[in-house]
PDB file of all heavy atoms in Angstrom:
ATOM      1  N   ARG V   3     134.204-219.552 120.404  1.00  0.00           N
ATOM      2  CA  ARG V   3     134.581-220.414 119.287  1.00  0.00           C
ATOM      3  C   ARG V   3     135.094-221.758 119.789  1.00  0.00           C
ATOM      4  O   ARG V   3     134.817-222.808 119.188  1.00  0.00           O
ATOM      5  CB  ARG V   3     135.656-219.726 118.434  1.00  0.00           C
ATOM      6  CG  ARG V   3     135.144-218.482 117.721  1.00  0.00           C
ATOM      7  CD  ARG V   3     136.242-217.881 116.855  1.00  0.00           C
ATOM      8  NE  ARG V   3     135.769-216.680 116.189  1.00  0.00           N
ATOM      9  CZ  ARG V   3     135.105-216.675 115.045  1.00  0.00           C
ATOM     10  NH1 ARG V   3     134.813-217.817 114.463  1.00  0.00           N
ATOM     11  NH2 ARG V   3     134.718-215.531 114.500  1.00  0.00           N
ATOM     12  N   GLN V  61     112.968-302.001  88.939  1.00  0.00           N
ATOM     13  CA  GLN V  61     113.223-303.142  89.822  1.00  0.00           C
ATOM     14  C   GLN V  61     113.545-304.367  88.971  1.00  0.00           C
ATOM     15  O   GLN V  61     112.775-304.780  88.113  1.00  0.00           O
ATOM     16  CB  GLN V  61     111.994-303.417  90.695  1.00  0.00           C
ATOM     17  CG  GLN V  61     112.172-304.587  91.645  1.00  0.00           C
ATOM     18  CD  GLN V  61     110.924-304.848  92.467  1.00  0.00           C
ATOM     19  OE1 GLN V  61     109.983-304.061  92.422  1.00  0.00           O
ATOM     20  NE2 GLN V  61     110.916-305.938  93.192  1.00  0.00           N
ATOM     21  N   THR V  63     114.734-308.394  89.125  1.00  0.00           N
ATOM     22  CA  THR V  63     114.866-309.588  89.952  1.00  0.00           C
ATOM     23  C   THR V  63     115.397-310.717  89.081  1.00  0.00           C
ATOM     24  O   THR V  63     114.814-311.040  88.031  1.00  0.00           O
ATOM     25  CB  THR V  63     113.513-310.003  90.556  1.00  0.00           C
ATOM     26  OG1 THR V  63     112.981-308.905  91.306  1.00  0.00           O
ATOM     27  CG2 THR V  63     113.674-311.196  91.477  1.00  0.00           C
ATOM     28  N   ALA V  94     111.239-312.768  81.675  1.00  0.00           N
ATOM     29  CA  ALA V  94     111.894-313.630  80.686  1.00  0.00           C
ATOM     30  C   ALA V  94     112.450-314.858  81.397  1.00  0.00           C
ATOM     31  O   ALA V  94     113.044-314.748  82.476  1.00  0.00           O
ATOM     32  CB  ALA V  94     113.010-312.882  79.968  1.00  0.00           C
ATOM     33  N   PRO V  97     114.263-321.940  80.519  1.00  0.00           N
ATOM     34  CA  PRO V  97     114.526-323.262  81.089  1.00  0.00           C
ATOM     35  C   PRO V  97     115.191-324.184  80.056  1.00  0.00           C
ATOM     36  O   PRO V  97     114.742-324.275  78.905  1.00  0.00           O
ATOM     37  CB  PRO V  97     113.135-323.758  81.476  1.00  0.00           C
ATOM     38  CG  PRO V  97     112.197-323.010  80.598  1.00  0.00           C
ATOM     39  CD  PRO V  97     112.835-321.692  80.318  1.00  0.00           C
ATOM     40  N   THR V 123      90.470-294.560  85.812  1.00  0.00           N
ATOM     41  CA  THR V 123      89.844-293.575  86.704  1.00  0.00           C
ATOM     42  C   THR V 123      90.468-292.199  86.563  1.00  0.00           C
ATOM     43  O   THR V 123      89.885-291.197  86.996  1.00  0.00           O
ATOM     44  CB  THR V 123      89.979-294.025  88.166  1.00  0.00           C
ATOM     45  OG1 THR V 123      91.373-294.102  88.529  1.00  0.00           O
ATOM     46  CG2 THR V 123      89.330-295.378  88.385  1.00  0.00           C
ATOM     47  N   ASN V 159     115.606-254.056 117.343  1.00  0.00           N
ATOM     48  CA  ASN V 159     115.011-253.666 118.626  1.00  0.00           C
ATOM     49  C   ASN V 159     116.083-253.453 119.691  1.00  0.00           C
ATOM     50  O   ASN V 159     115.949-252.569 120.541  1.00  0.00           O
ATOM     51  CB  ASN V 159     114.020-254.735 119.085  1.00  0.00           C
ATOM     52  CG  ASN V 159     112.679-254.625 118.377  1.00  0.00           C
ATOM     53  OD1 ASN V 159     112.226-253.534 118.053  1.00  0.00           O
ATOM     54  ND2 ASN V 159     112.059-255.753 118.113  1.00  0.00           N
ATOM     55  N   ALA V 166     117.568-245.387 122.722  1.00  0.00           N
ATOM     56  CA  ALA V 166     116.609-244.730 123.615  1.00  0.00           C
ATOM     57  C   ALA V 166     117.209-244.538 125.003  1.00  0.00           C
ATOM     58  O   ALA V 166     117.027-243.483 125.636  1.00  0.00           O
ATOM     59  CB  ALA V 166     115.323-245.548 123.702  1.00  0.00           C
ATOM     60  N   GLY V 192     123.747-214.475 145.126  1.00  0.00           N
ATOM     61  CA  GLY V 192     123.091-214.158 146.389  1.00  0.00           C
ATOM     62  C   GLY V 192     121.588-214.289 146.345  1.00  0.00           C
ATOM     63  O   GLY V 192     120.895-213.799 147.239  1.00  0.00           O
ATOM     64  N   ILE V 194     119.921-217.139 146.551  1.00  0.00           N
ATOM     65  CA  ILE V 194     119.605-218.078 147.624  1.00  0.00           C
ATOM     66  C   ILE V 194     120.873-218.341 148.406  1.00  0.00           C
ATOM     67  O   ILE V 194     121.985-218.065 147.933  1.00  0.00           O
ATOM     68  CB  ILE V 194     119.044-219.413 147.075  1.00  0.00           C
ATOM     69  CG1 ILE V 194     120.070-220.064 146.126  1.00  0.00           C
ATOM     70  CG2 ILE V 194     117.712-219.220 146.381  1.00  0.00           C
ATOM     71  CD1 ILE V 194     119.637-221.444 145.659  1.00  0.00           C
ATOM     72  N   LEU V 248     109.484-249.533 101.877  1.00  0.00           N
ATOM     73  CA  LEU V 248     108.120-249.797 102.314  1.00  0.00           C
ATOM     74  C   LEU V 248     107.170-250.045 101.156  1.00  0.00           C
ATOM     75  O   LEU V 248     105.957-249.904 101.298  1.00  0.00           O
ATOM     76  CB  LEU V 248     107.621-248.629 103.173  1.00  0.00           C
ATOM     77  CG  LEU V 248     108.456-248.326 104.417  1.00  0.00           C
ATOM     78  CD1 LEU V 248     107.819-247.211 105.219  1.00  0.00           C
ATOM     79  CD2 LEU V 248     108.633-249.574 105.281  1.00  0.00           C
ATOM     80  N   THR V 251     102.689-254.632  98.082  1.00  0.00           N
ATOM     81  CA  THR V 251     101.600-255.012  97.185  1.00  0.00           C
ATOM     82  C   THR V 251     100.833-256.167  97.809  1.00  0.00           C
ATOM     83  O   THR V 251     101.437-257.161  98.228  1.00  0.00           O
ATOM     84  CB  THR V 251     102.148-255.446  95.810  1.00  0.00           C
ATOM     85  OG1 THR V 251     102.899-254.368  95.241  1.00  0.00           O
ATOM     86  CG2 THR V 251     101.009-255.814  94.879  1.00  0.00           C
ATOM     87  N   ILE V 261      98.711-270.335 100.640  1.00  0.00           N
ATOM     88  CA  ILE V 261      98.975-271.386  99.652  1.00  0.00           C
ATOM     89  C   ILE V 261      99.069-272.751 100.327  1.00  0.00           C
ATOM     90  O   ILE V 261      98.563-273.758  99.801  1.00  0.00           O
ATOM     91  CB  ILE V 261     100.276-271.069  98.882  1.00  0.00           C
ATOM     92  CG1 ILE V 261     100.087-269.801  98.047  1.00  0.00           C
ATOM     93  CG2 ILE V 261     100.671-272.233  97.983  1.00  0.00           C
ATOM     94  CD1 ILE V 261     101.347-269.307  97.375  1.00  0.00           C
ATOM     95  N   SER V 287      93.795-304.350  81.996  1.00  0.00           N
ATOM     96  CA  SER V 287      95.129-304.947  82.044  1.00  0.00           C
ATOM     97  C   SER V 287      95.370-305.693  80.742  1.00  0.00           C
ATOM     98  O   SER V 287      94.479-306.401  80.233  1.00  0.00           O
ATOM     99  CB  SER V 287      95.251-305.901  83.234  1.00  0.00           C
ATOM    100  OG  SER V 287      94.316-306.953  83.129  1.00  0.00           O
ATOM    101  N   GLN V 357      80.686-310.567  91.334  1.00  0.00           N
ATOM    102  CA  GLN V 357      80.347-310.843  92.725  1.00  0.00           C
ATOM    103  C   GLN V 357      79.549-309.658  93.264  1.00  0.00           C
ATOM    104  O   GLN V 357      79.649-308.549  92.737  1.00  0.00           O
ATOM    105  CB  GLN V 357      81.609-311.075  93.575  1.00  0.00           C
ATOM    106  CG  GLN V 357      82.505-309.846  93.696  1.00  0.00           C
ATOM    107  CD  GLN V 357      83.755-310.122  94.533  1.00  0.00           C
ATOM    108  OE1 GLN V 357      84.064-311.280  94.786  1.00  0.00           O
ATOM    109  NE2 GLN V 357      84.421-309.065  94.936  1.00  0.00           N
ATOM    110  N   LYS V 363      78.872-300.121 105.386  1.00  0.00           N
ATOM    111  CA  LYS V 363      78.486-298.856 106.009  1.00  0.00           C
ATOM    112  C   LYS V 363      79.725-298.073 106.442  1.00  0.00           C
ATOM    113  O   LYS V 363      79.750-296.843 106.374  1.00  0.00           O
ATOM    114  CB  LYS V 363      77.592-299.151 107.225  1.00  0.00           C
ATOM    115  CG  LYS V 363      77.046-297.909 107.886  1.00  0.00           C
ATOM    116  CD  LYS V 363      76.096-297.149 106.981  1.00  0.00           C
ATOM    117  CE  LYS V 363      75.449-295.980 107.706  1.00  0.00           C
ATOM    118  NZ  LYS V 363      74.557-295.206 106.825  1.00  0.00           N
ATOM    119  N   GLU V 380      88.846-276.366 102.693  1.00  0.00           N
ATOM    120  CA  GLU V 380      88.558-275.226 101.810  1.00  0.00           C
ATOM    121  C   GLU V 380      88.163-274.000 102.633  1.00  0.00           C
ATOM    122  O   GLU V 380      88.580-272.868 102.322  1.00  0.00           O
ATOM    123  CB  GLU V 380      87.456-275.602 100.835  1.00  0.00           C
ATOM    124  CG  GLU V 380      87.890-276.606  99.780  1.00  0.00           C
ATOM    125  CD  GLU V 380      86.759-277.049  98.877  1.00  0.00           C
ATOM    126  OE1 GLU V 380      85.582-276.879  99.290  1.00  0.00           O
ATOM    127  OE2 GLU V 380      87.026-277.560  97.774  1.00  0.00           O
ATOM    128  N   GLU V 398      98.929-251.489 105.492  1.00  0.00           N
ATOM    129  CA  GLU V 398      98.895-250.314 104.615  1.00  0.00           C
ATOM    130  C   GLU V 398      98.643-249.040 105.426  1.00  0.00           C
ATOM    131  O   GLU V 398      99.268-247.994 105.166  1.00  0.00           O
ATOM    132  CB  GLU V 398      97.813-250.486 103.554  1.00  0.00           C
ATOM    133  CG  GLU V 398      98.182-251.480 102.457  1.00  0.00           C
ATOM    134  CD  GLU V 398      97.075-251.679 101.451  1.00  0.00           C
ATOM    135  OE1 GLU V 398      95.900-251.564 101.842  1.00  0.00           O
ATOM    136  OE2 GLU V 398      97.374-251.945 100.273  1.00  0.00           O
ATOM    137  N   GLN V 403     100.833-244.105 108.176  1.00  0.00           N
ATOM    138  CA  GLN V 403     101.120-243.412 109.428  1.00  0.00           C
ATOM    139  C   GLN V 403     102.617-243.177 109.584  1.00  0.00           C
ATOM    140  O   GLN V 403     103.053-242.109 110.025  1.00  0.00           O
ATOM    141  CB  GLN V 403     100.584-244.231 110.611  1.00  0.00           C
ATOM    142  CG  GLN V 403     100.828-243.604 111.972  1.00  0.00           C
ATOM    143  CD  GLN V 403     100.142-242.259 112.123  1.00  0.00           C
ATOM    144  OE1 GLN V 403      98.989-242.088 111.729  1.00  0.00           O
ATOM    145  NE2 GLN V 403     100.855-241.281 112.688  1.00  0.00           N
ATOM    146  N   ARG V 408     107.429-239.725 109.450  1.00  0.00           N
ATOM    147  CA  ARG V 408     108.747-239.459 108.879  1.00  0.00           C
ATOM    148  C   ARG V 408     108.835-238.028 108.352  1.00  0.00           C
ATOM    149  O   ARG V 408     109.855-237.336 108.543  1.00  0.00           O
ATOM    150  CB  ARG V 408     109.019-240.463 107.753  1.00  0.00           C
ATOM    151  CG  ARG V 408     110.414-240.367 107.150  1.00  0.00           C
ATOM    152  CD  ARG V 408     111.487-240.835 108.122  1.00  0.00           C
ATOM    153  NE  ARG V 408     112.812-240.642 107.586  1.00  0.00           N
ATOM    154  CZ  ARG V 408     113.450-241.530 106.838  1.00  0.00           C
ATOM    155  NH1 ARG V 408     112.871-242.686 106.549  1.00  0.00           N
ATOM    156  NH2 ARG V 408     114.663-241.285 106.403  1.00  0.00           N
ATOM    157  N   SER V 413     110.883-232.537 109.051  1.00  0.00           N
ATOM    158  CA  SER V 413     110.588-231.104 109.195  1.00  0.00           C
ATOM    159  C   SER V 413     111.123-230.578 110.513  1.00  0.00           C
ATOM    160  O   SER V 413     111.713-229.481 110.577  1.00  0.00           O
ATOM    161  CB  SER V 413     109.077-230.867 109.113  1.00  0.00           C
ATOM    162  OG  SER V 413     108.570-231.259 107.852  1.00  0.00           O
ATOM    163  N   LEU V 422     119.637-223.894 115.411  1.00  0.00           N
ATOM    164  CA  LEU V 422     121.007-223.929 115.949  1.00  0.00           C
ATOM    165  C   LEU V 422     121.899-222.949 115.195  1.00  0.00           C
ATOM    166  O   LEU V 422     122.688-222.207 115.803  1.00  0.00           O
ATOM    167  CB  LEU V 422     121.562-225.345 115.847  1.00  0.00           C
ATOM    168  CG  LEU V 422     123.049-225.497 116.214  1.00  0.00           C
ATOM    169  CD1 LEU V 422     123.307-225.070 117.655  1.00  0.00           C
ATOM    170  CD2 LEU V 422     123.507-226.941 115.988  1.00  0.00           C
ATOM    171  N   VAL V 456     113.308-243.315 114.337  1.00  0.00           N
ATOM    172  CA  VAL V 456     112.255-243.352 113.319  1.00  0.00           C
ATOM    173  C   VAL V 456     112.686-244.223 112.138  1.00  0.00           C
ATOM    174  O   VAL V 456     111.883-244.998 111.589  1.00  0.00           O
ATOM    175  CB  VAL V 456     111.908-241.925 112.854  1.00  0.00           C
ATOM    176  CG1 VAL V 456     110.989-241.971 111.634  1.00  0.00           C
ATOM    177  CG2 VAL V 456     111.234-241.155 113.979  1.00  0.00           C
ATOM    178  N   LEU V 470     104.881-260.706 106.133  1.00  0.00           N
ATOM    179  CA  LEU V 470     103.501-260.912 105.708  1.00  0.00           C
ATOM    180  C   LEU V 470     103.429-261.470 104.307  1.00  0.00           C
ATOM    181  O   LEU V 470     102.575-262.308 104.003  1.00  0.00           O
ATOM    182  CB  LEU V 470     102.722-259.579 105.777  1.00  0.00           C
ATOM    183  CG  LEU V 470     101.230-259.679 105.429  1.00  0.00           C
ATOM    184  CD1 LEU V 470     100.507-260.616 106.395  1.00  0.00           C
ATOM    185  CD2 LEU V 470     100.579-258.309 105.419  1.00  0.00           C
TER     186      LEU V 470
END
Side-chain angles (χ1 to χ4, degrees):
R3 293 182 181 275
Q61 180 181 352
T63 303
T123 62
N159 281 326
I194 59 174
L248 302 183
T251 301
I261 294 173
S287 61
Q357 65 181 14
K363 184 65 174 178
E380 289 176 340
E398 286 178 329
Q403 180 62 43
R408 185 69 185 272
S413 298
L422 173 60
V456 170
L470 183 61

